[in-house]
Structures are given as structure tokens and as C-alpha cells.
Amino acid sequence: EVQLQESGPGLVKPSQSLSLTCSVTGYSITSNYWGWIRKFPGNKMEWMGYISYSGSTSYNPSLKSRISITRDTSKNQFFLQLNSVTTEDTATYYCAYSYAHRFDYWGQGVMVTVSS
Amino acid sequence: DVVMTQTPVSLSVSLGGQVSISCRSSQSLVHNNGNTYLSWYLQKPGQSPQLLIYKVSNRFSGISDRFSGSGSGTDFTLKISRVEPDDLGVYYCGQGTQYPLTFGSGTKLEIK
């Protein structure tokens, strides 16, 4: 079974960059799609973007100028970087395995607070 | 972006009862390839979301047949029958037809 685990700092200062790692076991990230989704306080969920089996990426236009998703296939990990964060980026961040336009497996999530 | 509107925001049901959750999209979710990529997810308290239903009516691996999905075009429904205590949480619909992918705002299910 696919297992995903997010890691990264839980507190980021405004204007800095948020960097998270998703470590995957049980499946190679060189297959299918691997995404980042965040859930804001109050239940709203936002798809942030994905990196594909080939390394191509797709981002939510609302984030396009600030987001980057990369990967390290040797470690079976993929990464999220979100630049110039504000308090509005405070959320729980999830990485997920995506197959056929759906999210089959999710990590446990990491809560990130943007605050000085 | 495709806006997903879920109703109700919350509902309370007795154990053993049945509930329905509605999800409407601002545009048709029929993909160019003929598939309709509408999924349902459940986030139980303290857990990450889990996939229940994909492509409108297909149950994901290990999901009880008490969960059923239906609908077409822009109008979709999730039904939960014989509600159990483990069903409580927040239910989301999500569309995978058009980028950016979008989710409904969630329906919180409480057990009476």
C-alpha cells in the first residue's frame, strides 16, 4: 500500500518560504501523479499542484507565481516550496497520490502556521 | 474555476439512519473523454481525508456498500445508509475534470 508522510517546519515567518517534504513508501513516484493539497482553518480545501511521473508539474493559477513542486526520485520524495508566505497561508498541508483524476492516498498532514 | 457547492453544511443523524449529501458544480463535470470525475472524501476527526467514491458511483477499495454515489452533469449525491458511529466527520466532494481541481466546502456529519 502507498504511504505518504509530510515533514517540515510548523512555523514560518511572513515573507519567508515554506518548504515541505513528502516521503513515499510502497510505490514509486516515477508512476502516476503526486500532489499537494491544503486545508485552511474552517474546512476549505485547495488543490495546490502536482508533479507527474515524468517530472512535469501543474499548479493552481492562484499560486502559480509562488509555488514550486520538485522531486528526488533516488529518495522517492517530492517537495513543496511556497514563497512569500502570509498569514493566509496558515493551513494543514497534505501530500497525496493521485490516480485517474482523484486522490487515492493522503499523508497525515502537517500544520503550518505563518506568524512572526 | 469550477465551483463545487455542497449542501447541507451540517447534519445530524441517528445510528442506523440514512443521509444524503448534495454536491453541485458550476460547470458540467463530463470530461472530453466521456468520464465524469466526481469524487467523495471523508475526513474523520484527527485523520487525513480518505477516498470513498470516484467517478460518481465507484466505491474505492475497502469502502462499505453503505456508501453510494449517484448523479450526472452538475448534480451529484452521496448517500450513507445504516449510519454507524465511525461515519462521523466532514464529507467533501471534489472534481477532477477541469484544472485547477476543486473541492466542495464540506458537510459535517454528526451522530445524534
Side-chain angles (χ1 to χ4, degrees):
Chain A
E1 183 178 315
V2 183
Q3 293 190 330
L4 304 96
Q5 179 67 58
E6 305 89 348
S7 59
L11 180 64
V12 181
K13 288 182 166 49
S15 80
Q16 294 189 344
S17 294
L18 178 164
S19 295
L20 299 175
T21 297
C22 182
S23 300
V24 179
T25 56
Y27 205 86
S28 172
I29 65 169
T30 58
S31 294
N32 291 314
Y33 296 80
W34 304 86
W36 288 97
I37 300 147
R38 61 182 178 176
K39 181 180 174 183
F40 298 99
N43 283 348
K44 178 187 173 183
M45 283 215 289
E46 178 181 62
W47 171 77
M48 301 181 73
Y50 72 67
I51 187 163
S52 77
Y53 55 91
S54 67
S56 65
T57 55
S58 177
Y59 301 131
N60 193 318
S62 68
L63 301 167
K64 196 163 189 178
S65 61
R66 298 196 293 136
I67 188 174
S68 176
I69 299 176
T70 57
R71 66 179 184 171
D72 183 338
T73 57
S74 67
K75 295 182 178 178
N76 217 38
Q77 295 175 327
F78 63 105
F79 312 100
L80 170 70
Q81 181 170 319
L82 187 65
N83 299 322
S84 305
V85 299
T86 71
T87 55
E88 294 189 354
D89 294 309
T90 293
T92 298
Y93 288 75
Y94 297 96
C95 58
Y97 163 72
S98 179
Y99 174 76
H101 306 249
R102 67 190 196 235
F103 299 102
D104 288 18
Y105 300 103
W106 301 58
Q108 282 302 302
V110 58
M111 188 179 301
V112 177
T113 301
V114 179
S115 175
S116 54
Chain B
D1 298 5
V2 178
V3 177
M4 306 296 288
T5 302
Q6 264 184 260
T7 55
V9 173
S10 65
L11 69 165
S12 183
V13 63
S14 299
L15 293 176
Q18 177 174 297
V19 295
S20 293
I21 301 170
S22 172
C23 177
R24 290 184 173 171
S25 56
S26 61
Q27 302 172 34
S28 172
L29 297 186
V30 179
H31 193 274
N32 289 341
N33 64 15
N35 290 313
T36 300
Y37 295 109
L38 185 282
S39 299
W40 289 95
Y41 302 87
L42 165 61
Q43 185 166 29
K44 298 179 182 179
Q47 297 185 21
S48 56
Q50 62 179 104
L51 177 64
L52 299 174
I53 302 284
Y54 64 94
K55 284 201 297 184
V56 181
S57 60
N58 296 272
R59 277 185 296 276
F60 188 55
S61 175
I63 300 303
S64 168
D65 61 4
R66 297 184 299 103
F67 294 89
S68 62
S70 62
S72 63
T74 62
D75 202 348
F76 306 92
T77 301
L78 175 70
K79 288 186 180 178
I80 312 167
S81 60
R82 306 185 305 280
V83 170
E84 298 180 356
D86 195 45
D87 297 339
L88 71 89
V90 181
Y91 290 80
Y92 296 91
C93 58
Q95 65 85 16
T97 294
Q98 182 174 321
Y99 285 95
L101 309 183
T102 51
F103 297 90
S105 52
T107 295
K108 186 174 184 179
L109 178 65
E110 297 175 325
I111 308 297
K112 285 182 184 175

